[in-house]
Amino acid sequence: MSERNPKLASGYMMLALGILLLLGAVAAFIVNGDGANAFLLSLGGVLIVIATLLLPGLFVVNPNEAKVLVLFGKYAGTVRQNGFFWANPFFIKKKFSLRARNLSSQRLKVNDNVGNPIEIAAVIVWQVNDTFKAAFEVDDYEQYVVVQSEAAIRHLAQSYPYDSFEDEGHEPGLTLRSGAEQVSKLLEVELQERLGRAGVQIIEARLSHLAYAPEIAEAMLRRQQATAVVAARTRIVHGAVSMVEMALQQLSEKHLLELDDERKAAMVTNLLVVLCSESSASPVINAGTLYQ
């Protein structure tokens, strides 16, 4: 079964009818003041009973709200239209909010794809899309959302590494830290698959917290710093070698200075020291001949 819309009567019309019935019963009792007319007495009692049965069928549906109608265990429909309505007074009316809701998950401690313990949490925006499923497919749809959301976050964290390092010997792929947009999309898809059974629609899902667990946070920070230093040094050395190569090539093309292999080696060494050093170089001026 799926959600369907029932046919309802106007609440204002039925309210007016109920008031008229009550007024008619009062009038019958007033006319039959001494109680001698059994017909008027019976009529007044019947009108009161009918009004008493009609009036409990009145109900209001507020904006972004729905009411599921159940008659003796049978689903009768869902009222999504805002307004004042009347339905069978024996209907059980279950109220459901259709507003968007925020779920901020707890910080979960879980191992990532390579076994590193991490802390992860997410903010999920969701709303009820199918009231029939929310009412009858699961026991408590709000608790179902909380439990399945935590399960989806744990599964996502275990499917990808927190970060990738060049020294691991494989091509870097999607990681929790670098692929925020892709990870959010994957989380939304998995949440929708899990929560669709409860009639819930996922509007947005994003990671709100992502970090290494405290016991390895300091070690992993040093590793990240070392990786950054190696990457920076690699770029510096590559640039320095290119500059030295360009300098030797221009000296040779313009015939500014003839250098043998030993002098070239000394020049390359000095240039690499100057270009790759962390601190500024302190030049030494040779006041003698070219080779002294």
Side-chain angles (χ1 to χ4, degrees):
M1 295 182 65
S2 60
E3 183 179 298
R4 62 173 182 265
N5 297 322
K7 294 182 179 179
L8 301 173
S10 170
Y12 297 103
M13 182 180 66
M14 299 306 292
L15 177 61
L17 179 59
I19 293 174
L20 289 175
L21 291 174
L22 291 175
L23 292 176
V26 172
F29 289 138
I30 292 175
V31 172
N32 188 23
D34 55 359
N37 193 329
F39 173 76
L40 292 177
L41 185 62
S42 300
L43 179 62
V46 170
L47 293 178
I48 290 178
V49 170
I50 295 174
T52 303
L53 291 176
L54 286 178
L55 293 178
L58 299 171
F59 64 96
V60 176
V61 179
N62 297 315
N64 280 328
E65 185 180 283
K67 289 196 175 181
V68 174
L69 306 180
V70 181
L71 179 62
F72 301 125
K74 183 179 180 181
Y75 174 65
T78 299
V79 184
R80 285 177 173 264
Q81 184 180 357
N82 305 329
F84 186 41
F85 303 98
W86 181 89
N88 189 327
F90 294 102
F91 279 153
I92 297 176
K93 306 171 186 69
K94 297 182 179 180
K95 185 175 72 172
F96 285 86
S97 173
L98 303 180
R99 297 179 179 90
R101 309 189 197 183
N102 285 322
L103 171 63
S104 181
S105 70
Q106 298 179 350
R107 293 186 181 182
L108 305 176
K109 187 175 181 181
V110 60
N111 291 338
D112 68 357
N113 183 257
V114 295
N116 294 322
I118 63 173
E119 291 181 347
I120 187 171
V123 173
I124 302 166
V125 184
W126 62 279
Q127 65 181 164
V128 175
N129 187 43
D130 191 321
T131 57
F132 175 82
K133 292 181 178 179
F136 303 110
E137 291 292 338
V138 295
D139 185 31
D140 184 344
Y141 75 97
E142 293 180 336
Q143 183 65 21
Y144 186 86
V145 169
V146 174
V147 174
Q148 291 299 321
S149 297
E150 291 186 359
I153 295 171
R154 286 183 181 276
H155 181 261
L156 178 72
Q158 294 171 349
S159 300
Y160 300 96
Y162 175 89
D163 204 351
S164 61
F165 297 93
E166 296 180 358
D167 58 355
E168 291 178 350
H170 57 76
E171 293 294 329
L174 179 62
T175 65
L176 300 174
R177 181 170 174 265
S178 62
E181 291 296 329
Q182 292 175 275
V183 169
S184 297
K185 294 296 182 183
L186 292 170
L187 181 59
E188 289 179 14
V189 171
E190 182 165 355
L191 284 169
Q192 190 60 63
E193 291 178 354
R194 289 174 177 266
L195 301 179
R197 178 183 293 275
V200 171
Q201 178 185 1
I202 300 301
I203 300 175
E204 185 183 10
R206 290 188 176 275
L207 297 183
S208 59
H209 176 76
L210 182 64
Y212 282 113
E215 58 266 26
I216 68 165
E218 185 176 353
M220 298 309 292
L221 177 62
R222 289 199 300 268
R223 183 178 182 181
Q224 289 176 349
Q225 291 174 341
T227 302
V229 170
V230 170
R233 287 295 179 187
T234 302
R235 179 68 61 87
I236 291 173
V237 170
H238 182 270
V241 170
S242 299
M243 293 175 66
V244 169
E245 182 182 4
M246 180 178 63
L248 293 175
Q249 181 179 359
Q250 291 185 5
L251 286 173
S252 176
E253 290 176 354
K254 295 181 180 180
H255 304 287
L256 296 177
L257 187 64
E258 294 294 335
L259 299 176
D260 55 18
D261 292 339
E262 182 179 354
R263 297 298 186 274
K264 285 182 179 181
M267 181 178 179
V268 169
T269 301
N270 292 334
L271 286 175
L272 288 178
V273 169
V274 171
L275 294 174
C276 298
S277 177
E278 291 186 358
S279 58
S280 301
S282 300
V284 176
I285 299 176
N286 189 353
T289 63
L290 180 64
Y291 299 105
Q292 292 181 355

